[in-house]
């Protein structure tokens, strides 16, 4: 064991000397270069996460179909409302029905009463 520790001591001292020589300081020019590099990386990362160049996700606009309130909801009418609202999907919400609460901006929700008349239309 003593032989190993005697070999390790010079290596540790050499490493400490190397660290002390640099002292952890950078010249002003080196600091500027590092700052520019960090800014460039951040900009590239931001453009990747926002999906620059990709189209925005489809959205729904229920204002276009508000005139259907009071009409009977059948499959053909709901499908036409979906198309007119620009939604990807549509669902009919009946009174007392359990529904998921996740928001989907490309979905048209058609809320009906007990007689299957449209009470409201909203996206989400």
């Amino acid at each position: 064991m003593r032989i190993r520790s005697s070999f390790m001591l010079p290596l540790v001292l050499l490493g400490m000397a190397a660290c002390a020589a640099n002292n952890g300081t950078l010249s002003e020019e080196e600091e500027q270069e590092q700052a520019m590099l960090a800014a460039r990386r951040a900009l590239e990362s931001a453009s990747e996460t926002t999906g620059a160049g990709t189209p925005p996700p489809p959205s729904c606009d229920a204002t276009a179909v508000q005139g259907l309130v009071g009409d009977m909801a059948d499959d053909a009418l709901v499908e036409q409302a979906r198309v007119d609202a620009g939604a990807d999907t549509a669902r009919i919400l009946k009174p007392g029905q359990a529904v998921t609460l996740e928001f989907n901006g490309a979905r048209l929700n058609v809320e009906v009463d007990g007689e299957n008349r449209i009470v409201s239309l909203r996206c989400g």
Side-chain angles (χ1 to χ4, degrees):
M1 288 296 260
R2 289 190 80 117
I3 297 173
R4 287 186 185 171
S5 62
S6 64
F7 283 116
M8 294 297 290
L9 183 60
L11 291 174
V12 171
L13 291 175
L14 182 62
M16 290 174 64
C19 288
N22 188 4
N23 218 9
T25 59
L26 298 175
S27 70
E28 188 174 329
E29 186 176 310
E30 290 171 325
E31 286 180 16
Q32 288 177 351
E33 285 180 37
Q34 286 189 354
M36 291 296 290
L37 181 61
R40 188 174 300 126
R41 285 182 183 155
L43 183 60
E44 289 170 357
S45 175
S47 67
E48 289 173 5
T49 57
T50 58
T54 59
S59 63
C60 171
D61 181 14
T63 58
V65 293
Q66 292 303 310
L68 299 176
V69 172
D71 290 353
M72 294 296 288
D74 60 19
D75 290 341
L77 182 68
V78 171
E79 176 60 18
Q80 187 59 51
R82 180 194 69 79
V83 171
D84 292 347
D88 285 346
T89 60
R91 66 178 176 178
I92 297 175
L93 305 175
K94 297 179 180 181
Q97 176 182 353
V99 296
T100 59
L101 297 178
E102 86 282 354
F103 181 80
N104 180 348
R107 176 178 56 207
L108 178 66
N109 293 299
V110 181
E111 194 171 347
V112 297
D113 63 12
E115 297 175 357
N116 211 36
R117 289 199 183 277
I118 298 174
V119 177
S120 71
L121 297 115
R122 59 180 163 46
C123 297

